Amino acid sequence: MGTIQRIWRHPILDFKRGRSVRFQFEGKRIEGYENESIAVALFASGVKVFGRSRRFNHPMGWFCGIGKCSSCLMRVNGIPNVRTCITPVREGMRVELQGRKGVLPDEPNIKVKKKEEYVRVLIIGSGPAGLETGITSTKLGLDTLIIDENPIPGGQLIKQTHKFFGSKKEYAGLRGFEIAKTMLEGLRKCGGRYLTETSAIGYYWKNKKHKFLAVQKQEDGYQLLEIKADNIVVTSGASENYLPFPRNYLPGVYGAGGVQTLMNVYGVKPGNKALIVGAGNVGLIIGYQLLQAGVEVKALIEAMPHVGGYLVHASKLARLGVPILLRHTIKEAKGEEYVNGATIIEVDENKQPIEGTERKLDVDLILIAVGLSASTKILSQAGCEKMFVQELGGWIPIHNENMETTIDGIYVAGDGSGIAEASTAMLEGRIAGAAIAEREGYNPEDARRIREDAFSELSKLRQSSSLKIVAEGKRKCQQRWNEVKSHEK
Amino acid sequence: MKNEPREIGYLTYDVLKEKIGLPSKERLAKGPVAIIECTEDIPCDPCVEACKLGAISKESLITPPTIDYEKCTGCTLCVDVCPGLAIFVINVNYKEEKALVSIPYEMLPVPERREKVDTLDRSGKKIGEGEIIKVRRGKRETFVVSVAVDKNLATEARSIKIQKEENE
């Protein structure tokens, strides 16, 4: 299965690893680096099986790598259900596979402190949409707090090594991780606050105010935060879609986004020979990033008869010799404990496999890049109505053009409001931040101008052929919002 | 349609000629010139700003760029700025039998001057060997690598591959 290597030289990135730390996994001593996640430290030292399936006892690995899918849950210092992919490793930690159920310890030795907060605007998620909401609302004079469950702020920008399209206002030409840095600097400059490793765990309505409970991980325990807020903006992003095929449970089958985190944030090579499923922008971009990390890309397959992403991204891969096989799908993964091959097969116009066209690929890595779904659970809990919009990637919270959901004072922006991309996520965040300021009477004139500028920029971007579909989805969404609101009256 | 770019994953010379228009023989004979291999309506404009001579323009943010080949001097400043790595500079006048192709490059190892490399076409197929003439560290870690290739390959060579050391 080959040795997993840390990446020491990379054409774009310079990995700054912390001190080395020692911890225990299943009683064995393992070394990792400060500031990396438990899952990454385990993976880098060759641990790939993160658990076994309940019914068939199949070996399973991590999948999403960004704290959403729950396939990396382990017991850490006796506490079950810890998402190891977003929990930093610390000296002396005791990490164990948790078996089929997360059993609570008899005498939990957990310190929990409690703290209350009150802010004008609470933002959940620090990706491009969340940061832009934070910058805009703080600049307009609102007291704002951003919380994010990840240890590093910046959402999925931090793992993007390619230069972004767009116009100058949305940081065109900078690489994704540089955009995150620039935005965080902007937030700091205007005095905006953010907390990392802080998960929103529940929504309540108390004394006519929105209230969130959040848990913040701390060095020696946890802090329970009770955050009251006049306005909430949920910018919780999206999660990678899964794909059904035989043995898809095997370690070695990963979400493309998770591999980006492993490789580009933490500098660990995910494998040696990869197959990518999906020729949208995510699949095309990760193909190029794998090559930059020294991973061989055996093929990129796509069931559609054409590439879904931009031609310039596909061209970058094609001219480096990566076969882009259209009208192909994965038939099965091979391996017992870990992927050691894959069978691909051609499909016809109806996407049905054509027997006899099977081909075996010698790969140890299968990346799934077949689309994203908006993460909207916390909004459901708050009672925001949802609808299914094909153009926006599935179920999304119903919202209007100001990004307000069906509940007063609760807003949404970015991929969590419908799958699109980073520039438009920023613009939506700016709109939400400005709309709140306008309504609350904080520099309402400036706020209105900012909001209107963002509207016109957004509609310009959405005239491009790749985003037209988003414009259509958003139109349906607005229409539905109007219907819901007229019913309320 | 055969060679429909989205059905193969890359552009071909014929499609480029039809979609963006390539420099005339006379212009090519005058020396280096940029070819912008960007045909889709991507909302993006750093190339326009990168050109100090005003040779690159866009009707709007979402239309593909157009280039005035007469204004372009082939300086390569747009090559490392294009987020899509879609701009190349070709100089068919480099030497009697050789043309010089400048390519954006973001892989390791970075080739060295005088190094022999394989040259690949848009589909990644090896079409010849070339010699690295110049390596410039461009903006944000994108290198611009200029490789001398046989003259007839100037419009096809779009990528390089480092040759493995023989003693490995």
Side-chain angles (χ1 to χ4, degrees):
Chain A
M1 77 179 105
T3 49
I4 302 296
Q5 296 150 331
R6 289 194 183 265
I7 302 164
W8 298 106
R9 286 188 67 230
H10 189 281
I12 307 298
L13 299 165
D14 184 15
F15 298 107
K16 291 189 181 67
R17 298 185 169 91
R19 277 187 308 133
S20 80
V21 292
R22 271 158 295 185
F23 67 106
Q24 276 194 9
F25 173 67
E26 295 284 296
K28 274 188 310 210
R29 207 171 80 161
I30 285 193
E31 257 184 69
Y33 289 96
E34 212 172 30
N35 303 330
E36 70 186 8
S37 71
I38 298 170
V40 166
L42 286 175
F43 190 83
S45 28
V47 176
K48 287 161 198 150
V49 179
F50 277 42
R52 300 222 162 238
S53 69
R54 284 174 199 210
R55 212 164 139 202
F56 300 110
N57 211 34
H58 289 147
M60 302 198 300
W62 53 273
F63 182 73
C64 86
I66 56 168
K68 301 208 179 205
C69 78
S70 301
S71 62
C72 68
L73 299 184
M74 288 192 195
R75 190 158 47 223
V76 177
N77 294 336
I79 300 166
N81 292 347
V82 173
R83 283 176 290 173
T84 56
C85 73
I86 57 166
T87 306
V89 66
R90 297 199 208 281
E91 183 75 38
M93 249 178 184
R94 203 158 33 81
V95 181
E96 298 158 283
L97 296 174
Q98 67 175 31
R100 293 170 191 194
K101 283 180 196 157
V103 181
L104 280 170
D106 294 336
E107 286 171 55
N109 180 26
I110 312 167
K111 274 189 226 160
V112 181
K113 286 182 276 184
K114 212 173 130 183
K115 194 179 158 191
E116 284 180 29
E117 287 254 13
Y118 166 62
V119 288
R120 285 278 181 194
V121 186
L122 171 67
I123 300 161
I124 299 174
S126 69
L131 287 176
E132 190 65 28
T133 313
I135 293 167
T136 308
S137 53
T138 309
K139 273 190 182 161
L140 287 167
L142 289 153
D143 171 30
T144 305
L145 173 67
I146 303 179
I147 63 172
D148 194 305
E149 58 188 0
N150 288 280
I152 307 169
Q156 308 317 313
L157 286 173
I158 60 170
K159 61 197 189 186
Q160 302 304 343
T161 57
H162 62 288
K163 292 175 180 169
F164 275 48
F165 302 134
S167 65
K168 209 169 179 187
K169 262 195 234 163
E170 281 76 46
Y171 315 101
L174 293 194
R175 299 183 188 277
F177 68 94
E178 296 171 320
I179 295 178
K181 234 183 252 170
T182 309
M183 293 185 83
L184 280 164
E185 192 47 44
L187 183 73
R188 221 166 278 139
K189 267 193 197 144
C190 65
R193 287 191 301 148
Y194 68 84
L195 298 174
T196 53
E197 291 186 61
T198 304
S199 309
I201 57 164
Y203 168 86
Y204 303 88
W205 175 247
K206 195 177 168 189
N207 301 336
K208 295 189 174 167
K209 290 240 183 313
H210 301 296
K211 190 171 123 178
F212 268 94
L213 282 188
V215 174
Q216 184 183 20
K217 283 181 211 143
Q218 292 186 322
E219 194 75 36
D220 58 342
Y222 293 87
Q223 175 155 271
L224 183 70
L225 290 169
E226 278 189 48
I227 310 169
K228 266 186 267 170
D230 298 327
N231 299 279
I232 311 280
V233 187
V234 177
T235 56
S236 47
S239 57
E240 202 94 53
N241 290 342
Y242 213 59
L243 191 68
F245 57 88
R247 289 179 192 260
N248 65 355
Y249 53 78
L250 281 175
V253 179
Y254 302 122
V259 166
Q260 285 184 320
T261 302
L262 179 80
M263 189 166 71
N264 297 339
V265 177
Y266 297 111
V268 175
K269 227 170 138 174
N272 293 309
K273 292 169 281 185
L275 164 68
I276 302 168
V277 185
N281 280 323
V282 173
L284 296 170
I285 286 169
I286 186 116
Y288 189 74
Q289 294 178 349
L290 285 166
L291 297 174
Q292 288 180 315
V295 179
E296 190 185 343
V297 182
K298 290 279 185 183
L300 186 150
I301 60 172
E302 165 65 55
M304 300 288 282
H306 52 78
V307 295
Y310 286 122
L311 206 44
V312 290
H313 285 319
S315 300
K316 277 158 54 183
L317 271 188
R319 67 176 180 254
L320 288 167
V322 174
I324 297 175
L325 306 174
L326 302 167
R327 298 175 196 269
H328 275 75
T329 190
I330 181 164
K331 190 179 176 194
E332 62 176 339
K334 301 254 181 210
E336 291 302 322
E337 287 288 290
Y338 192 81
V339 170
N340 64 18
T343 306
I344 58 171
I345 188 166
E346 272 180 53
V347 296
D348 62 21
E349 306 84 80
N350 306 316
K351 292 197 192 168
Q352 292 310 305
I354 305 170
E355 273 192 50
T357 62
E358 289 91 347
R359 209 178 331 163
K360 283 190 183 127
L361 294 179
D362 170 27
V363 295
D364 59 2
L365 190 59
I366 298 172
L367 301 192
I368 309 297
V370 294
L372 303 165
S373 298
S375 303
T376 59
K377 288 188 188 121
I378 202 105
L379 289 163
S380 302
Q381 200 227 336
C384 300
E385 286 188 47
K386 293 206 267 183
M387 70 185 284
F388 189 89
V389 186
Q390 189 76 54
E391 292 89 338
L392 299 176
W395 288 94
I396 51 135
I398 299 169
H399 57 278
N400 66 10
E401 59 171 7
N402 285 335
M403 308 311 296
E404 194 171 11
T405 65
T406 53
I407 293 189
D408 233 32
I410 300 187
Y411 294 73
V412 64
D415 273 359
S417 73
I419 307 303
E421 48 75 65
S423 302
T424 50
M426 287 174 210
L427 287 166
E428 288 185 342
R430 200 179 296 161
I431 289 168
I436 293 169
E438 205 177 330
R439 199 166 82 167
E440 298 271 349
Y442 282 73
N443 294 304
E445 287 297 302
D446 290 350
R448 190 173 51 83
R449 202 174 27 81
I450 291 170
R451 192 170 55 87
E452 280 168 6
D453 287 351
F455 276 147
S456 80
E457 221 172 314
L458 197 55
S459 74
K460 235 189 292 171
L461 290 182
R462 286 184 180 153
Q463 280 163 22
S464 67
S465 48
S466 62
L467 293 175
K468 254 182 207 154
I469 184 171
V470 174
E472 178 55 22
K474 293 280 177 177
R475 196 191 54 75
K476 286 184 187 169
C477 185
Q478 168 81 56
Q479 202 178 358
R480 189 66 187 279
W481 189 89
N482 294 343
E483 285 166 20
V484 172
K485 285 293 161 183
S486 68
H487 265 286
E488 279 176 14
K489 283 171 200 159
Chain B
M1 190 169 89
K2 213 175 154 220
N3 288 343
E4 171 58 37
R6 288 169 61 80
E7 289 172 12
I8 51 175
Y10 54 90
L11 291 155
T12 55
Y13 182 74
D14 292 338
V15 171
L16 275 171
K17 212 159 68 175
E18 187 199 311
K19 287 215 171 177
I20 64 168
L22 294 169
S24 63
K25 270 210 173 105
E26 294 74 40
R27 173 60 191 88
L28 284 173
K30 281 188 202 159
V33 65
I35 314 277
I36 305 183
E37 306 196 351
C38 171
T39 55
E40 293 177 315
D41 55 348
I42 305 174
C44 181
D45 65 3
C47 58
V48 176
E49 209 165 315
C51 184
K52 306 290 175 237
L53 301 166
I56 307 175
S57 56
K58 277 194 134 202
E59 219 170 278
S60 83
L61 184 65
I62 61 163
T63 52
T66 50
I67 178 165
D68 182 340
Y69 293 123
E70 297 308 317
K71 281 189 191 164
C72 172
T73 60
C75 74
T76 75
L77 283 182
C78 54
V79 174
D80 49 301
V81 168
C82 169
L85 306 184
I87 309 182
F88 304 84
V89 169
I90 62 175
N91 179 6
V92 297
N93 232 358
Y94 174 63
K95 279 196 176 150
E96 202 162 320
E97 288 175 349
K98 298 282 177 190
L100 195 67
V101 180
S102 299
I103 293 167
Y105 190 77
E106 296 185 332
M107 294 288 153
L108 284 180
V110 177
E112 288 178 17
R113 264 189 76 202
R114 304 208 185 292
E115 190 172 330
K116 282 249 178 307
V117 294
D118 290 347
T119 50
L120 316 177
D121 68 6
R122 294 181 185 87
S123 74
K125 198 177 80 193
K126 180 180 170 180
I127 50 171
E129 284 192 357
E131 185 190 347
I132 302 294
I133 302 300
K134 195 176 160 192
V135 178
R136 173 169 73 79
R137 184 186 218 118
K139 286 221 168 109
R140 309 193 177 281
E141 307 305 316
T142 306
F143 283 83
V144 178
V145 173
S146 302
V147 57
V149 300
D150 289 344
K151 216 165 227 182
N152 59 332
L153 299 180
T155 52
E156 289 304 322
R158 287 298 175 267
S159 179
I160 58 159
K161 195 174 174 193
I162 306 292
Q163 297 178 339
K164 286 222 174 82
E165 278 179 40
E166 276 169 21
N167 54 6
E168 259 185 3

